[in-house]
Amino acid sequence: AAAPLPLRIADFQEVLGEPTVALAKLRDLCFSGIPFDGGLRCLCWKILLNYLPLEKALWSSLLKKQRDLYSQFLKEMIIQPGIAKANLGVSREDVTLEDHPLNPNPDSRWNTYFKDNEVLLQIDKDVRRLYPDMAFFQRPTDYPCLLILDPQNEFETLRKRVEQTTLKSQTVARNRSGVTNVSSPLKTTSNSLSEYEVLPNGCEAHWEVVERILFIYAKLNPGIAYVQGMNEIVGPLYYTFATDPNSEWKEHAEADTFFCFTNLMAEIRDNFIKSLDDSQCGITYKMEKVYSTLKEKDVELYLKLQEQNIKPQFFAFRWLTLLLSQEFLLPDVIRIWDSLFADDKRFDFLLLVCCAMLTLIRDQLLEGDFTLNMRLLQDYPISDVHQILKKAKELQDSK
């Protein structure tokens, strides 16, 4: 049984109180779930995702440096192009042909600008729909980005870019089929108009902050840019940091989320890259590993799924790529991520969680036909994540 909360909090405070955090001890504690109290989860995630070093003395200088760097990104990638675009209207005559927006030359910075807009439209479509069952992402943040909302600025914000861009988002070829097109019924709510209401000037909704994080990530990582589903990875991170009880940290949720997301993507980005699908690090290999683990643990169930030709890509693709973020409600996703981030083998435990999810509904799967079983797997019926994590731990211990 888990220790009572005050004791667990004391355990965390002890480990985090040392001048150098003992990582193995911290992983152990986090694996069983991190209390929300006192901003413990936000701090632990930042350490587990290699954003904060283990030496506490380095924290404040590192945070300052990274947050300044993020402001720099905002200036270079959103504000300066936005100023250039706004100035076009003012001084048409000094725009040389080289840099005219309609110049087809691929090196023209406008070409980049329009290409960016295609990516931006795809991001915009995805982030407006983040966790529609929760009001959080539609609400205004207490700490809108002053750089962006400075009334002195005449420049074009991302919000204005989206409003003014008439490019059809269909041109975005980056949509990987399968990641979010089979989104679980749990997540679908009617597309009410309120979803597209833009807050008054001077306010920013949380989804707009997430949009900026993803846009800057796409600009800095052109090899992968933006792939649908990344919004589901950044959402729980941002939510956790933006609800930090420590206001001094909460204020910097955007920059901190950006760097933690970048570090997390460095570990899982291979799942999003289509050309790696069949390599050792690609997603196909991992999906097959779910089945080979299942075969070891429950051969009867494995054979039944094989016999019905239920391939792991029908469900495990989304489970693995999105770290289960679409299968459960947000607080439960966050609890699962405590264990995943604490896993020193980095997401081996995720394979066991997927196996546990299969074995926990084995009786239904053994009785069901193809259609019924597909429905079970694409809209997973058990919502108690503690039961799932417990089962996954049993599988891990029974090796």
Side-chain angles (χ1 to χ4, degrees):
L5 190 62
L7 280 180
R8 297 196 51 232
I9 292 174
D11 288 344
F12 274 93
Q13 284 167 341
E14 189 185 337
V15 172
L16 294 166
E18 297 291 331
T20 301
V21 176
L23 186 58
K25 271 192 197 164
L26 184 70
R27 283 190 193 283
D28 256 5
L29 284 173
C30 294
F31 185 80
S32 315
I34 308 168
F36 174 74
D37 311 66
L40 285 174
R41 176 175 279 128
C42 308
L43 180 54
C44 292
W45 279 17
K46 286 174 179 134
I47 297 169
L48 295 174
L49 292 171
N50 304 315
Y51 177 45
L52 285 179
L54 298 175
E55 294 76 32
K56 271 176 79 171
L58 304 172
W59 287 1
S60 60
S61 60
L62 175 117
L63 288 170
K64 183 177 181 336
K65 192 181 106 213
Q66 295 301 85
R67 289 160 179 176
D68 289 348
L69 176 61
Y70 187 74
S71 297
Q72 206 42 53
F73 292 155
L74 289 178
K75 286 176 188 150
E76 280 170 32
M77 292 170 218
I78 295 179
I79 295 176
Q80 279 161 4
I83 291 174
K85 179 86 175 2
N87 285 348
L88 254 185
V90 186
S91 50
R92 274 336 264 257
E93 62 283 357
D94 59 7
V95 178
T96 60
L97 179 67
E98 259 61 85
D99 225 7
H100 193 278
L102 298 179
N103 173 17
N105 173 4
D107 299 334
S108 149
R109 70 170 173 201
W110 292 112
N111 199 328
T112 314
Y113 181 87
F114 291 124
K115 271 216 166 59
D116 287 350
N117 278 358
E118 294 183 17
V119 175
L120 179 59
L121 280 181
Q122 180 65 60
I123 293 174
D124 188 76
K125 212 169 84 202
D126 293 345
V127 293
R128 286 175 187 262
R129 298 190 298 226
L130 260 179
Y131 289 96
D133 46 342
M134 289 177 63
F136 172 79
F137 286 96
Q138 309 301 327
R139 286 205 187 111
T141 160
D142 298 338
Y143 300 100
C145 177
L146 300 177
L147 271 175
I148 300 285
L149 295 179
D150 179 354
Q152 300 303 306
N153 285 335
E154 281 302 307
F155 76 91
E156 191 184 40
T157 57
L158 292 188
R159 184 195 284 186
K160 285 189 193 135
R161 271 176 82 159
V162 170
E163 286 164 8
Q164 290 167 7
T165 301
T166 50
L167 281 168
K168 288 282 162 279
S169 46
Q170 277 65 25
T171 50
V172 182
R174 293 205 154 273
N175 177 0
R176 274 192 69 160
S177 62
V179 179
T180 48
N181 60 4
V182 280
S183 83
S184 58
L186 178 83
K187 295 282 157 79
T188 45
T189 55
S190 61
N191 275 0
S192 57
L193 273 175
S194 67
E195 163 174 9
Y196 293 101
E197 276 171 22
V198 171
L199 294 168
N201 281 337
C203 296
E204 280 191 305
H206 287 294
W207 66 261
E208 293 186 77
V209 182
V210 175
E211 174 165 272
R212 225 174 9 245
I213 292 169
L214 287 165
F215 181 72
I216 289 181
Y217 178 82
K219 290 283 290 170
L220 287 170
N221 297 276
I224 181 170
Y226 172 73
V227 181
Q228 209 179 2
M230 286 181 182
N231 54 316
E232 306 284 351
I233 300 284
V234 83
L237 285 176
Y238 174 73
Y239 175 81
T240 301
F241 294 166
T243 54
D244 191 329
N246 175 346
S247 59
E248 200 180 322
W249 288 69
K250 185 176 174 176
E251 185 177 348
H252 296 287
E254 179 175 352
D256 293 348
T257 301
F258 173 80
F259 290 108
C260 287
F261 172 68
T262 300
N263 290 357
L264 178 55
M265 281 305 297
E267 298 187 34
I268 63 170
R269 61 181 282 170
D270 294 348
N271 296 347
F272 286 91
I273 300 176
K274 225 178 164 55
S275 59
L276 287 177
D277 276 1
D278 297 317
S279 69
Q280 282 277 313
C281 51
I283 185 74
T284 306
Y285 174 74
K286 288 182 189 139
M287 290 191 294
E288 277 160 9
K289 196 111 170 59
V290 170
Y291 266 21
S292 59
T293 312
L294 180 67
K295 189 177 175 182
E296 271 169 47
K297 306 286 184 189
D298 188 339
V299 71
E300 188 188 357
L301 180 56
Y302 167 77
L303 291 170
K304 171 77 177 185
L305 294 174
Q306 288 290 65
E307 175 203 322
Q308 291 189 343
N309 203 11
I310 292 181
K311 295 184 168 37
Q313 49 269 42
F314 297 159
F315 60 93
F317 178 72
R318 190 177 75 203
W319 291 5
L320 294 166
T321 306
L322 303 181
L323 306 180
L324 295 169
S325 62
Q326 280 212 314
E327 311 316 310
F328 302 100
L329 295 169
L330 186 57
D332 296 325
V333 171
I334 288 170
R335 169 60 194 93
I336 292 172
W337 285 16
D338 288 344
S339 297
L340 295 185
F341 295 166
D343 174 15
D344 61 344
K345 300 217 173 38
R346 275 324 200 206
F347 309 120
D348 273 11
F349 188 66
L350 178 59
L351 300 173
L352 293 169
V353 174
C354 294
C355 262
M357 286 168 69
L358 295 170
T359 54
L360 284 170
I361 55 168
R362 74 183 303 267
D363 296 349
Q364 288 157 279
L365 290 169
L366 289 173
E367 279 171 26
D369 60 7
F370 176 85
T371 315
L372 204 71
N373 286 347
M374 281 299 293
R375 198 174 303 145
L376 278 174
L377 294 168
Q378 295 203 337
D379 184 21
Y380 190 73
I382 297 177
S383 56
D384 177 2
V385 298
H386 298 282
Q387 187 190 358
I388 294 166
L389 291 168
K390 192 171 152 229
K391 183 73 185 167
K393 183 84 181 87
E394 283 166 20
L395 294 175
Q396 188 179 48
D397 295 341
S398 71
K399 277 200 163 157

